[in-house]
Amino acid sequence: MSPFPGRGWWAGLPPAAGAAVMATGILSVGLHLTGHEALSLVALVVAAALWLVLAADFTTRLLADRRRFRAEADTPAALTAVAATTVLGTRLCLLGWQTTAAALLALAAALWPGLLLHVLRHWRRRMPGAGFLVCVATQGLAVLAATLAAAGAPVWLDQAALALFLLGLVLYVAALLRFDLREVAAGSGDHWVAGGALSISALAGSKLTASPVWTGAAHTALRTVTLILLALSLAWYVVLLGAELRHPRHRYDIRRWSTVFPLGMTATACLSVAEPAGIAWLRPLGEVLLWIAVGACVLTCAAMITSRRRLEHVSD
C-alpha cells in the first residue's frame, strides 16, 4: 500500500504542508555546506518534487476554488508558499542555477506582499508559532537576494536584502508580541518557528555580513546583530527542546515539518555565520545540529507514512 496514493492525497493538503519543502530544502543547503553533496542532492530532489506538487495544487485552488484559496490566504501558513520558494531558490543558486533561482525570487517577491497583507489583516492577539512566518518569508527573500548578489547579480539585490532583513526583524517583534506562550508546552510543531525565524534572520545577516558592499561601521553592526540573532535562536532551541522532553507529543501532525525546518535552519545558520563572523567553533556546532535535524526529518517522514497507512487502513 503506497503512502502516496495519487492526487486525492495531495489535493487536500493544507498550506502548512509547504513546511516540508522548507525543511528538506534547508537540509539540502546544510548538507552542501558540510560537503555531503550526494545527500544534499537527494534532499534537493525531494524538495523540488514537493514544491512542484504543492505549486500545482496552489495554482489549482487559485483558478478553480477561489473560496478555499481566499480562506487559506488569510492564515499565516499561506506564507510557506513564499518561504519554500526562497529556500529552494537559495539551494539552486548554490548549485549554480542562477537563472532559475532569480525566477524563483521573482515569483516569491510577487506572492509575498499580497499574502503578507492578507495574513496581517487577520492577526489576532494569541497566535500559534505559524505567526512567525511573516518574518520567515521576509527573511527568505533577503537570503535569496543576498545569495544571488554574492553569485554576481546586481548590487541593488544586496541593498534590497538589507531592507528585507530589517523589515523581517520588525515583523518578528510584532509576531512575538502576539505569540501564545502556551504553545511552547502544547503546540503541535509549528511553535518551533519562534526560534526558526531568528535562525533564518541570522542566516540573512550572515549573507549580508559576508558581502563586500557593507564595510566599516555597517559591517560591524551587521556582524553584531547577526551574532545576537544566532544566540537568541540557540536559546529558543534549548527552551523548545526542553519543552518537548517535558511535554512529549507522540502523535503525527503535518505541522511537525515546521519543527524540522527550524532544526535545519539553526544548524545552517551556525554553519553560515562561522566564517564571516570569524567564530570557528560555530561550524562543528552546526554540524552536530545538522545531523539532529536530519534525524528529525527521517523520523517525521516515517511518522507521516505510518499515519497515512493507518488512515487508509481505517477507511478500508
Side-chain angles (χ1 to χ4, degrees):
M1 182 184 298
S2 170
F4 309 107
R7 190 182 185 281
W9 173 77
W10 61 260
L13 287 175
V21 181
M22 296 159 60
T24 50
I26 200 59
L27 287 178
S28 179
V29 173
L31 289 166
H32 167 73
L33 293 176
T34 53
H36 298 89
E37 203 62 30
L39 286 175
S40 174
L41 291 175
V42 170
L44 174 59
V45 169
V46 172
L50 289 172
W51 185 89
L52 289 171
V53 168
L54 293 173
D57 192 32
F58 181 93
T59 304
T60 299
R61 292 198 305 272
L62 176 62
L63 298 177
D65 193 351
R66 289 293 184 89
R67 180 177 296 179
R68 178 185 170 188
F69 180 84
R70 285 193 294 268
E72 292 180 343
D74 293 340
T75 65
L79 286 166
T80 60
V82 176
T85 301
T86 61
V87 172
L88 180 61
T90 298
R91 180 62 185 98
L92 291 176
C93 185
L94 295 175
L95 192 63
W97 294 17
Q98 276 78 33
T99 301
T100 305
L104 290 175
L105 175 60
L107 174 60
L111 292 173
W112 173 68
L115 289 175
L116 181 64
L117 289 174
H118 271 287
V119 170
L120 291 177
R121 281 204 299 261
H122 292 84
W123 263 11
R124 55 184 190 272
R125 290 189 62 186
R126 292 184 175 179
M127 296 287 291
F132 289 99
L133 284 167
V134 296
C135 170
V136 172
T138 305
Q139 297 292 13
L141 288 169
V143 170
L144 180 50
T147 304
L148 279 166
V155 173
W156 65 264
L157 278 177
D158 261 323
Q159 298 166 341
L162 178 61
L164 289 163
F165 172 68
L166 296 174
L167 175 59
L169 297 182
V170 173
L171 290 171
Y172 182 88
V173 173
L176 183 62
L177 292 174
R178 290 167 175 78
F179 179 49
D180 187 351
L181 288 174
R182 294 174 298 181
E183 289 286 304
V184 173
S188 298
D190 59 352
H191 55 292
W192 276 82
V193 185
L198 287 173
S199 297
I200 194 172
S201 298
L203 177 59
S206 74
K207 298 289 185 181
L208 291 167
T209 302
S211 171
V213 173
W214 313 110
T215 59
H219 178 272
T220 301
L222 282 170
R223 180 182 182 276
T224 301
V225 171
T226 298
L227 289 175
I228 291 172
L229 292 170
L230 183 59
L232 291 173
S233 73
L234 289 171
W236 263 116
Y237 192 110
V238 173
V239 170
L240 293 167
L241 181 60
E244 291 282 349
L245 296 174
R246 183 175 175 82
H247 306 281
R249 282 142 269 198
H250 300 295
R251 297 183 62 183
Y252 170 74
D253 189 293
I254 197 167
R255 286 168 290 185
R256 267 305 179 192
W257 289 106
S258 293
T259 298
V260 179
F261 169 70
L263 292 174
M265 182 56 73
T266 304
T268 303
C270 288
L271 293 167
S272 298
V273 171
E275 184 175 347
I279 303 177
W281 59 264
L282 283 174
R283 184 168 181 84
L285 174 61
E287 291 175 354
V288 171
L289 295 180
L290 177 63
W291 290 114
I292 292 174
V294 170
C297 182
V298 172
L299 290 174
T300 303
C301 187
M304 178 187 70
I305 294 172
T306 301
S307 175
R308 183 64 196 178
R309 286 177 172 171
R310 186 181 297 113
L311 288 173
E312 288 184 346
H313 178 72
V314 171
S315 64
D316 290 341

